[in-house]
Structures are given as structure tokens and as C-alpha cells.
Amino acid sequence: MRRLIFLCVVLLVPGSFLGAAEVFGTISENGKPVPRGVAVKLDCAGVAASGATDEFGSYSVKTASTGDCRLTVEYKKSTPSLKVALYEKPARYDLVVKDAAGKVTVARK
């Protein structure tokens, strides 16, 4: 009986981590990190996850989905976004926010 339980745990636990993905990086504006608490949202095939920047402009968001996703930054009352591709290994996306004539955009560094 113990062997059966052990076997089930060994087979099921790693399976729960399959398909998990992470996106991380920094967000800056004019060469300086954005303030702490800037919201970062990730939408992958209807599965949403969110995070926020720290005092260095760094962020990390984990999700159970992989593939083509949309990363959105909530900054200065705007929500610019860009497409990102996520796989099983963590993906680094360092971003630059630009505010030109009241229109906020985000791009990969």
C-alpha cells in the first residue's frame, strides 16, 4: 500500500508543474527603473496572472499556460501591452516604457 501511494505521488506531483511558465525582467523609462508597484499582467489563452515591479523596476509573473501571451503594463493611467512567447523555461523580457505626447507605449529593450 505504501509503495502504491509513493508511486502515485512521484507520478502526479511532477505532472502538476508541466506547462508552467514564467516571464521576468525589468521595466524602465528614460534609463531609470519605473517605481515600485507598477502592475504587470499576463494573459495566456484566457489564463491570467499578475505581479508588480519592485523598487528596482524588476518584475516576475508565473502562469500555468505556455505559448503566445499578452503582457500588459499598467503605467500612468495607461495599459500598453505586447506579445510574448512563453515556454517551460523562464523567459526574460526587459521592457522600456515611453510617454510621447500623452501616449504610453511599451517595447522590448
Side-chain angles (χ1 to χ4, degrees), residues 60-108:
S60 175
V61 181
K62 295 179 183 178
T63 183
S65 276
T66 58
D68 291 332
C69 304
R70 180 141 305 268
L71 184 67
T72 303
V73 178
E74 291 184 11
Y75 188 61
K76 294 186 177 180
K77 299 181 181 179
S78 294
T79 55
S81 64
L82 72 152
K83 286 178 66 173
V84 296
L86 298 183
Y87 303 99
E88 288 80 22
K89 293 188 177 187
R92 182 177 190 116
Y93 280 84
D94 291 323
L95 306 174
V96 177
V97 176
K98 294 182 182 176
D99 186 357
K103 183 175 178 173
V104 178
T105 59
V106 64
R108 199 162 183 188

Side-chain angles (χ1 to χ4, degrees), residues 17-74:
F17 293 106
L18 290 176
E22 176 184 11
V23 61
F24 70 98
T26 60
I27 304 173
S28 61
E29 180 181 30
N30 297 325
K32 296 181 182 177
V34 296
R36 170 190 285 254
V38 171
V40 180
K41 294 184 180 180
L42 186 62
D43 184 18
C44 300
V47 177
S50 61
T53 57
D54 64 11
E55 65 270 12
F56 305 107
S58 297
Y59 70 94
S60 175
V61 181
K62 295 179 183 178
T63 183
S65 276
T66 58
D68 291 332
C69 304
R70 180 141 305 268
L71 184 67
T72 303
V73 178
E74 291 184 11

